[in-house]
Amino acid sequence: MKIYGLTGGVGMGKSTAAGFFLQHGIRVVDTDEIARQLVQPGQAALAEIQSVFGGDLLAADGSLKRDELARIVFACEADRKKLEAILHPRIRECWLAQLETWRKEGCAIAVVIIPLLFETRAESHFEKIICVACSPAAQHERLIARGWDADQIQRRIAAQLPVEQKIARSHFVIWTEGRLEVQQRQIEKILKQC
């Protein structure tokens, strides 16, 4: 089975690119989705987050107040590292297990979306790494559309490896500005080369 890593900066189009891979019948596992599952009520990771960061992070229904946790961890690198220590090993275990399941099923190609692929040193798991990227202006516009303010945007971007470094370390780049058909053609070209 060929395994490709898909990375890129926040708001640069990883989910859109993943959708195009899915349209080609390629299986995709999204580590952001795994992270959301790991912090559902009753999950061990949520209990550990509550223990480390306090009970004020839980809503009345027992769910995680994600915005409040983000405010804390993106304001303090030490807190972000604590959260990453809780979640990243569990996330990796989940996506590796999913890949193993697909391998046993005879899957030909799989893509793993990992925003922090290089930061978590996951490169060795992939035959090829694809980076989605856009200009800083387009990224900023997309993050404003999510309802983030300038401070939130700056903190989130600063928490990741600069996209220029991700591009330099990747085998392929998908430029995500412009029409969606252009992005789809870029993905088709990548698939022909792999």
Side-chain angles (χ1 to χ4, degrees):
M1 178 170 74
K2 294 180 180 178
I3 305 168
Y4 304 120
L6 181 68
T7 193
V10 60
M12 292 204 164
K14 293 177 295 295
S15 297
T16 300
F20 288 128
F21 283 108
L22 288 168
Q23 288 176 12
H24 284 277
I26 295 169
R27 296 189 186 176
V28 175
V29 59
D30 185 343
T31 59
D32 280 347
E33 181 56 36
I34 292 171
R36 283 188 282 279
Q37 293 169 7
L38 289 172
V39 297
Q40 292 298 310
Q43 293 294 317
L46 180 59
E48 191 171 346
I49 289 167
Q50 182 180 9
S51 173
V52 171
F53 295 100
D56 291 343
L57 290 175
L58 296 185
D61 65 358
S63 64
L64 179 64
K65 296 179 185 174
R66 294 174 55 86
D67 289 343
E68 180 63 19
L69 180 60
R71 187 189 62 72
I72 292 167
V73 301
F74 288 108
C76 174
E77 184 176 357
D79 284 339
R80 193 177 81 248
K81 295 291 184 193
K82 288 177 192 175
L83 179 64
E84 290 172 350
I86 294 168
L87 290 177
H88 287 179
R90 289 175 166 101
I91 291 169
R92 184 174 295 207
E93 181 181 328
C94 289
W95 63 258
L96 286 172
Q98 182 62 72
L99 291 175
E100 187 55 34
T101 297
W102 289 341
R103 185 177 283 111
K104 289 176 182 175
E105 293 172 356
C107 176
I109 303 173
V111 171
V112 183
I113 307 170
I114 308 179
L116 301 177
L117 189 149
F118 296 111
E119 295 88 337
T120 59
R121 296 178 177 84
E123 303 97 315
S124 65
H125 293 280
F126 304 103
E127 291 182 43
K128 301 288 182 189
I129 297 171
I130 304 162
C131 180
V132 296
C134 64
S135 69
Q139 179 186 33
H140 188 81
E141 184 178 307
R142 292 171 186 179
L143 297 177
I144 289 286
R146 291 184 184 182
W148 294 2
D149 64 33
D151 184 59
Q152 289 172 306
I153 292 169
Q154 187 277 327
R155 289 178 189 273
R156 300 277 178 117
I157 292 171
Q160 295 187 351
L161 194 66
V163 73
E164 297 82 7
Q165 291 182 35
K166 291 183 182 206
I167 289 170
R169 295 171 67 178
S170 297
H171 299 92
F172 300 101
V173 176
I174 301 169
W175 193 253
T176 63
E177 291 183 48
R179 296 188 334 268
L180 292 176
E181 301 82 39
V182 175
Q183 293 176 44
Q184 187 166 11
R185 283 197 300 272
Q186 291 176 73
I187 290 170
E188 289 167 357
K189 185 176 179 180
I190 290 168
L191 291 173
K192 287 178 183 173
Q193 294 179 37
C194 293

